[in-house]
Amino acid sequence: MSYQGKKNIPKITSDRLLIKGGRIVNDDQSFYADIYMEDGLIKQIGDNLIVPGGVKTIEANGKMVIPGGIDIHTHFQMPYRGTTTVDDFCQGSKAALAGGTTMIVDHVIPEPGASLLEAFDHWKEWADEKACCDYSLHVDITHWNDSVKQEVETLIKEKGVNSFQVYMAYKDFYQMSNSELYEIFTFLAEMGGIVQVHAENGEIIAEEQARMLEMGITGPEGHVLSRPEELEAEAVFRAITIASQTNCPLYVTRVMSKSAADIISQARKKGNVVFGEPITASLGTDGTHYWSKNWAKAASFVTSPPLSPDPTTPDYLNTLLSSGDLNVTGSAHCTFSVAQKAIGKDDFTQIPEGVNGVEERMSLIWDKAVVTGKMDENMFVAVTSTNAAKILNLYPRKGRIAVGSDSDLVIWDSDAVRTVTAKTHHSAAEYNIFEGLELRGGPMVVICQGKIVLEDGNLHATSGTGRFLPCSPFPDFAYKRVKARKQLAVIRAVPRGMYDGPVADFSPLSRGATPASSARTSPTKQTPVRNLHHSGFSLAGSPQQQQQHGPPADDAPIRPGGRRIVVPPGGRSNITSLS
Amino acid sequence: MSGYQGKKNIPRITSDRLLIKGAKIVNDDQSFCADIYMEDGLIKQIGENLIVPGGVKTIDAHGRMLMPGGIDVHTRFQMPDRGMTAADDFYQGTRAALAGGTTMIIDHVVPEPGATLLSSFEQWRQWADSKSCCDYSLHVDVTEWHKGIQEEMETLIKDHGVNSFLVYLAYKDIFQLSDSQVYEVFSTIRDLGAIAQVHAENGDIIAEEQQRILSLGITGPEGHVLSRPEEVEAEAVNRSVTIANQTNCPLYITKVMSKSAADVIAMARKKGTVVYGEPITASLGTDGSHYWSKNWAKAAAYVTSPPLSPDPTTPDYLNSLLSCGDLQVTGSGHCTFNTAQRAVGKDDFSLIPEGTNGTEERMSLIWDKCVVTGKMDENQFVAVTSTNAAKIFNLYPRKGRIAVGSDADLVLWDPDITKIISAKSHNSAVEYNIFEGLEVRGGPLVVISQGKIVLEEGTLHTTEGSGRYIPRKPFPDYVYKRIKARSRLAELRGVPRGLYDGPVCEVSVTPKTMTPASSAKTSPAKQPSQPVRNLHQSGFSLSGAQVDDNIPRRNTQRIVAPPGGRANITSLG
C-alpha cells in the first residue's frame, strides 16, 4: 500500500481510495478490476482507471474484494431489567467491522405497553451517538392495539423501518396470540413490511419450564430441556400457515435447529415467501455446552431458541444455507457479562439470553461453508450481504460492488487463520462461545463509508460515524411475488337465488364467554369484537328472547316450538330441490 | 340360503344359536375357510365338522367372506346443536350402521355449556341405552378445562369405562382450548392411560377468516371451506403432534380431511410419534367441490369441519395412505341435519349446523375405493374398518376379531353386490345423501350383531334398545406399550454443579403489565396450593433482605467474594 503524491494533498486522500488488482466478488459473478471510490461511493470500476492524483492506493494482489457484510440481527446496548448488554453500539460495531461486517441492523424492543416511536427514537439516538458503521433498525411489536398499528404505519411511512418482529414465545410478556399474529401479518402485508418472527411455542415452554423447575433442574441445561427443537419447528410451521393465509412475506429469525430449518425449506418448496436466518451460533456451535459443569460457561450459551444439543446441527444448517433453503445470516449478537448471566444462577429461566457472534460471523461461514466446498464465494457474498440488502430494500446501495454503491468493502484473505478467543476479540464479553475454534478466512482490509477502518490488524473506527439508513417498504425481493398472488387471490361468492325453503328454529348457543379472547383488544376489529358463534342472526326476535322460549310481546303470531315452514308469496322457487 | 335344522322342535332357542357354514373367515392377519358356531352372543367354536346342538339356525356362506363387524369410531347421533337435534337419533343411526355392516359405534358426548362431563355422559347413555340397536361406546369431549374436569375425567375412566377424550383446537370462544390447556389435558390423559383425540383446526385463524369472508359478502356454503383452508387443518395437526410428543401422550386425530393434514400425520409417524389418523367416509368418498353448487341445500349438506377439500384428488390420496398404514382407522363423523336445520345458516355460512352422513356407506365405500382398486387386501380392510379401532380403544379381541370367545358381531360380505347410493333408499333420516348417485361395489349380505341376524336378504331386523354399552379399560396395550417404555427413558437429570459463587449483577424487577388472559382459567394440572407461577416474574430478587445487607451496594454490578475464596466454578475456560 502506498500513497501517490502523498505530500501534496494529504487531507483529501482519506476520501479517495483506489483498490488495484482485486478480484471483485458479487453474488452473481467474480471478475478482476480496479475500484475507485470517492466520498463514500464507488465511482469507477474497471482496468486502467483515470483517477486524480494523491489517491491512496491499496494493492489487492489478486485477493477477493467483497461487499461488506450486513449483520441483519444485532442487539447492541439492549436494556435488560435495569442493566444493559455489555456491547454498546460503539463496542458492537467495532467488533462487527473487525470481522468484515460494515452494516448492522439492530432490533428496537419497546417494553410492552410503551410507544414504538419513542423506543425507536431512543435506539436511534444511542446508535447515532456511538455506531461506527451504517445501521438500520427493525422494530419489535411487543403488544398490539390501535395505537401500535398507527405507530407501525408512521414508522414505515416516515421513519424508514420496513421490518417488524413479533414473538411467539415469552408468554404473558412479548407473546402474541394467533389472532394478533393474523392481524399484524395482514396489516404489514398491506403496508409492504416484512414480518419477522421469533418462532417458539411460548405456551408449551412455560409449561415445560415449570415442570423442569419442579423436578429440581435449575441450571442452564434446563433452558434447552424446556425448549426442545420441536417447539421451534411447531411455531415456524404455524407462522408459515398464518403468513400463507394472509399472503404476507415471512422472515424467521434465529433458525437454530434442523427441524425448524426443514419446515422452512419444505414451505419454500411449496411456494411460500419465507426467509430463514440462521445465526453465527447455530452455524458454528451446538447445545452440548449447556451440560458443562462450569456454570458460567453453560450460561454463556443461553439464547432462545436454544442451540440444539444435536452436534450435527451446524453442518446441516450450513448445507441448507449453501443450497439456498436458508437465505440470510445474522449474529443475534446480544452479550451479557457472567455477573449478568448469574441473575439466573438459581433459576435458568432468569438467565439473560443472548450470545456473541457479530465479529465471528463472516469468518465462520467462510470456514464452515466455503472452505468445505458447500458454497462458492459468490454464494458467500449472497448469504452474508446481498440477500440481506435485498430484503431490507437497500440493494444495490448495499450488498453489491457496483458504480454508485456505497463503498463498504472487504478485502478478504482466504488464507488467514485465527483462533477465536475472548482474550483477543473486540466484544466486551468475558466469554466467547466459539472459544478455541480455529477459523480459516478473514478480512485483511475493511473499508467502511470509503474509509479504511481495518488495516494490518488495526482498527481505526470512529464512534458516531455510522449513519441510519432508512429502509423503504415493498422490497421487490419479497413483494413482487406477493403482489402477483394478491391479484390472483380474488374470491367470489356463488350466485344463488335466495333459499326459501323451511328453516328450523334454533336458539343461539350462549357459551360463557371466555375472557381470554377479549382481554386484548384487536385493532382491526370493529369494536365490539364480533363473535361469529354468537351472531346476532336470528330468525325470530332477538336471540335472548328466543332462548326464553317466548316471542317478543309485539311479535303477534305465536310460533310452534318445532320446525316451521315458510311459504313465501309467489310460491317456492326450486332452489331447495334435492338433486 | 339359510335353513333351520329341526326347526319345528325348538324354535325359540335358535335365535341365540347360529352356525355359519363354509365361510372364508377374514381377520386382519389372515383369511381361512372354516365354520363358526355362535351361542349367547359369543363365538363358541371355529373349525370344520363342528359338533353343534340340534335346532340351530344355519347359514351357508358358500365360501363368501365372513369378517368382524365394522366399528364406526366416530358418530354423533342425536347430537344437540343450539336447541336442534341431529336428524338421526341412536335408533335411526344404529340401524343405518347395521345396514352397512357396522355392528358397533362409538359416539361423542359433547357436554353443553356449563354441564358437567358426568351428567352429559349419563344423558348420552340414557339416550343410547333406550334406542341403540347395536353395541356402542362413548368418547367424551373436553370442551373446557378446570380442576373439576380433571376429576371427572378420572371418574369416567375408573368407573364408567371411558378411555378417550376429544379436545378442540377450533371453535374459538366455544369449545376451543389454548395450547397450555391442551398440554395439561394431554398430561392428564397420559397419566390416566387414555387416548387424546383432537379436532384439529386453528380456530383463531378460522375466526379471522370467517370475518373476512363475510365482509367480502360471501355468505353461502362456499364461505365455509374458504374460511377453513386445509393449511389451517395441517397446522393444528402439527401443533397437536408437537404437544403430544412433549407430553408423551398418545394422539388420535379425528376427521382427517385433507392431504396436508394426512401428510403431517404420516411424517410424524415416521419420526416415531404415537399418532393415529382417522379419515371419515366423507373425506374418503367425496370432495369439497360441491360447496360451490348452485343448489344451496345441496352445498349446505356437505358442510362439516374440517371441510371436505376442494382438491378432487384428495379421496384417492387418503385411501392410499389408509392402505399403506399411515392412516389407521375410519369413522363416519355421521352427524346429519336436515335441510331446514341447515337453513339456520342460509344468510351466514358460519351458522350452518355441521356434519355429514356416512355410517351406512363407510364399509362399502372403503371396499369400493380400496379393495376393488387393489390398494388393500381384505385383511387390511378388516384392520381399518374394525380391528385397529378395537385395538386402539381397548376392545380387542372382544371386538375386531373372529376368534373363539369374541362377540358374535359378524358380517358376511359380498364383494359382487353393486349398489347406487341414494337418499331414497338409505336408512338415515336425512333428506340428502352426500354420496348421492355413487355406485359402490361390495356390501353386507348378512349382518350378525350380538349373535342375532339383523340384516338378511336386504331386510333389517333390529330391536330398539338392544345395544349394550361397552366399557373400555385404560392403558390399551396397542397404544401404551410404547408410551410406557418412553416414560421410563424420559427421566431428566440436572447437571451436578457446585454453587455459582461469582459476581451477580443486580436487577430491577420491572413490574410487567399482567395480561389477564392466562389467569382467567385456572389449570388443574398445577398444584392448587401454588398460584400459577409466572416465569417471567419470578419472585427471585436480590433487593429483599439478604445476608449481606450490611454491605453497601453500588447500583450496577457488584462482586461478592465469599469467605474461603472463590470456587473455580466461574473460571472461563
Side-chain angles (χ1 to χ4, degrees), chain A residues 411-435:
Chain A
I411 299 179
W412 192 259
D413 182 357
S414 50
D415 302 321
V417 176
R418 74 185 157 125
T419 303
V420 178
T421 168
K423 295 186 188 85
T424 57
H425 71 193
H426 290 80
S427 159
E430 304 111 297
Y431 200 83
N432 190 311
I433 59 164
F434 307 105
E435 187 75 30

Side-chain angles (χ1 to χ4, degrees), chain A residues 188-362:
Chain A
L188 285 175
E190 249 168 62
M191 303 301 298
I194 303 283
V195 168
Q196 302 190 308
V197 288
H198 175 112
E200 283 184 295
N201 187 318
E203 303 238 339
I204 309 298
I205 289 170
E207 299 278 347
E208 289 288 326
Q209 285 179 330
R211 189 167 74 93
M212 293 303 150
L213 291 171
E214 204 174 286
M215 290 166 69
I217 297 175
T218 57
E221 69 277 14
H223 178 73
V224 64
L225 290 173
S226 63
R227 307 176 99 103
E229 68 177 76
E230 278 192 62
L231 302 189
E232 184 191 354
E234 187 283 316
V236 171
F237 195 103
R238 186 149 40 98
I240 287 170
T241 306
I242 299 174
S244 166
Q245 272 322 108
T246 52
N247 192 24
C248 175
L250 181 69
Y251 179 106
V252 179
T253 59
R254 294 200 242 206
V255 176
M256 304 300 280
S257 68
K258 288 179 175 184
S259 332
D262 280 342
I263 302 280
I264 293 171
S265 55
Q266 275 165 27
R268 288 176 64 87
K269 282 176 191 48
K270 285 185 190 158
N272 289 296
V273 181
V274 55
F275 307 103
E277 168 207 282
I279 63 169
T280 322
S282 59
L283 294 168
T285 184
D286 61 58
T288 54
H289 304 282
Y290 292 118
W291 280 267
S292 166
K293 296 234 173 173
N294 179 337
W295 189 91
K297 180 178 177 184
S300 69
F301 287 82
V302 169
T303 188
S304 289
L307 286 155
S308 169
D310 176 351
T312 62
T313 303
D315 192 56
Y316 192 83
L317 295 181
N318 277 296
T319 304
L320 288 193
L321 188 63
S322 308
S323 69
D325 282 6
L326 299 172
N327 307 88
V328 271
T329 53
S331 65
H333 189 93
C334 181
T335 45
F336 290 97
S337 66
V338 172
Q340 287 173 317
K341 292 271 184 185
I343 291 166
K345 70 188 171 67
D346 301 318
D347 176 353
F348 64 87
T349 65
Q350 303 296 314
I351 301 174
E353 297 174 354
V355 290
N356 65 291
V358 71
E359 183 172 354
E360 298 79 7
R361 188 178 64 103
M362 305 272 286

Side-chain angles (χ1 to χ4, degrees), chain A residues 182 203 207-208 221 294 339 577, chain B residues 180 183 209 295 495 505 571:
Chain A
Y182 183 97
E203 303 238 339
E207 299 278 347
E208 289 288 326
E221 69 277 14
N294 179 337
S577 71
Chain B
S180 315
Y183 180 98
E209 288 287 326
N295 179 336
V495 175
C505 179
S571 70

Side-chain angles (χ1 to χ4, degrees), chain B residues 275-526:
Chain B
V275 56
Y276 305 98
E278 167 206 281
I280 62 169
T281 322
S283 59
L284 294 169
T286 185
D287 61 60
S289 55
H290 304 283
Y291 292 119
W292 280 268
S293 167
K294 296 235 173 174
N295 179 336
W296 188 92
K298 179 178 175 183
Y302 289 82
V303 169
T304 188
S305 289
L308 286 155
S309 169
D311 176 351
T313 62
T314 303
D316 194 54
Y317 191 83
L318 294 182
N319 280 302
S320 295
L321 289 197
L322 189 62
S323 306
C324 77
D326 279 1
L327 300 172
Q328 299 75 32
V329 266
T330 53
S332 64
H334 191 93
C335 182
T336 47
F337 289 97
N338 58 41
T339 302
Q341 291 173 319
R342 300 266 188 193
V344 160
K346 69 189 175 64
D347 300 318
D348 177 351
F349 63 84
S350 69
L351 297 174
I352 300 174
E354 298 174 354
T356 52
N357 64 290
T359 194
E360 184 171 353
E361 299 80 6
R362 188 178 64 102
M363 305 270 288
S364 289
L365 192 129
I366 296 168
W367 186 271
D368 183 75
K369 299 279 179 191
C370 294
V371 186
V372 172
T373 57
K375 282 182 198 286
M376 60 172 74
D377 57 25
E378 76 256 22
N379 305 97
Q380 176 73 356
F381 174 77
V382 167
V384 301
T385 55
S386 179
T387 311
N388 291 348
K391 285 179 177 171
I392 291 171
F393 296 110
N394 226 357
L395 295 163
Y396 188 81
R398 177 177 178 183
K399 303 282 185 190
R401 186 164 188 87
I402 299 182
V404 172
S406 295
D407 279 0
D409 285 357
L410 301 172
V411 176
L412 190 61
W413 192 259
D414 186 349
D416 302 321
I417 288 180
T418 301
K419 179 181 158 190
I420 294 173
I421 296 173
S422 169
K424 293 185 188 85
S425 57
H426 71 191
N427 287 281
S428 160
V430 77
E431 310 107 296
Y432 199 83
N433 190 309
I434 59 164
F435 307 105
E436 187 75 31
L438 191 70
E439 190 178 293
V440 287
R441 278 152 294 179
L445 202 63
V446 177
V447 177
I448 295 158
S449 171
Q450 297 178 34
K452 296 189 181 63
I453 297 172
V454 291
L455 177 80
E456 198 181 16
E457 288 161 358
T459 317
L460 275 173
H461 311 283
T462 56
T463 315
E464 192 165 353
S466 61
R468 299 165 298 180
Y469 174 72
I470 310 287
R472 296 171 290 138
K473 289 201 174 76
F475 295 107
D477 270 355
Y478 187 63
V479 175
Y480 266 88
K481 275 182 187 164
R482 286 179 289 166
I483 296 289
K484 284 176 185 166
R486 292 172 195 195
S487 294
R488 285 194 292 270
L489 283 180
E491 206 178 304
L492 295 174
R493 282 194 193 86
V495 175
R497 292 188 186 93
L499 277 170
Y500 174 87
D501 54 5
V504 178
C505 179
E506 282 215 41
V507 129
S508 63
V509 181
T510 39
K512 309 293 182 200
T513 39
M514 271 289 287
T515 48
S518 65
S519 51
K521 288 188 177 181
T522 56
S523 39
K526 301 273 175 60

Side-chain angles (χ1 to χ4, degrees), chain B residues 100-319:
Chain B
T102 293
T103 54
M104 177 171 182
I105 57 117
I106 311 184
D107 207 79
H108 277 270
V109 175
V110 190
E112 286 280 298
T116 64
L117 296 189
L118 281 168
S119 65
S120 306
F121 173 80
E122 293 298 345
Q123 177 69 71
W124 255 259
R125 284 247 8 218
Q126 200 186 318
W127 289 338
D129 281 339
S130 63
K131 294 194 165 177
S132 181
C133 307
C134 67
D135 287 351
Y136 74 96
S137 202
L138 295 170
H139 307 292
V140 176
D141 297 1
V142 177
T143 54
E144 56 187 336
W145 184 237
H146 51 74
K147 183 74 186 159
I149 300 279
Q150 192 186 15
E151 283 163 3
E152 286 193 299
M153 284 168 70
E154 205 169 331
T155 310
L156 283 167
I157 289 174
K158 290 192 173 146
D159 305 334
H160 298 280
V162 174
N163 73 4
S164 47
F165 297 89
L166 174 72
V167 295
Y168 294 87
L169 298 180
Y171 305 108
K172 190 178 177 183
D173 299 337
I174 302 183
F175 295 148
Q176 187 176 323
L177 299 188
S178 72
D179 290 358
S180 315
Q181 291 170 330
V182 171
Y183 180 98
E184 287 166 15
V185 174
F186 281 15
S187 302
T188 302
I189 284 177
R190 183 229 26 237
D191 290 343
L192 297 172
I195 313 289
Q197 300 189 305
V198 170
H199 175 110
E201 283 184 295
N202 187 318
D204 290 342
I205 301 181
I206 289 169
E208 299 279 346
E209 288 287 326
Q210 283 179 331
Q211 197 185 29
R212 187 173 73 93
I213 301 286
L214 287 171
S215 71
L216 290 169
I218 298 174
T219 57
E222 69 276 16
H224 178 73
V225 64
L226 289 172
S227 63
R228 307 177 100 102
E230 68 177 75
E231 280 190 318
V232 169
E233 184 191 353
E235 186 284 315
V237 172
N238 185 61
R239 187 150 37 101
S240 38
V241 165
T242 306
I243 301 175
N245 278 343
Q246 275 319 110
T247 51
N248 190 28
C249 175
L251 179 67
Y252 179 105
I253 309 289
T254 60
K255 296 204 214 183
V256 176
M257 304 301 280
S258 67
K259 288 179 177 185
S260 331
D263 281 342
V264 173
I265 294 171
M267 266 156 47
R269 288 179 63 86
K270 281 175 189 50
K271 287 185 190 159
T273 307
V274 181
V275 56
Y276 305 98
E278 167 206 281
I280 62 169
T281 322
S283 59
L284 294 169
T286 185
D287 61 60
S289 55
H290 304 283
Y291 292 119
W292 280 268
S293 167
K294 296 235 173 174
N295 179 336
W296 188 92
K298 179 178 175 183
Y302 289 82
V303 169
T304 188
S305 289
L308 286 155
S309 169
D311 176 351
T313 62
T314 303
D316 194 54
Y317 191 83
L318 294 182
N319 280 302

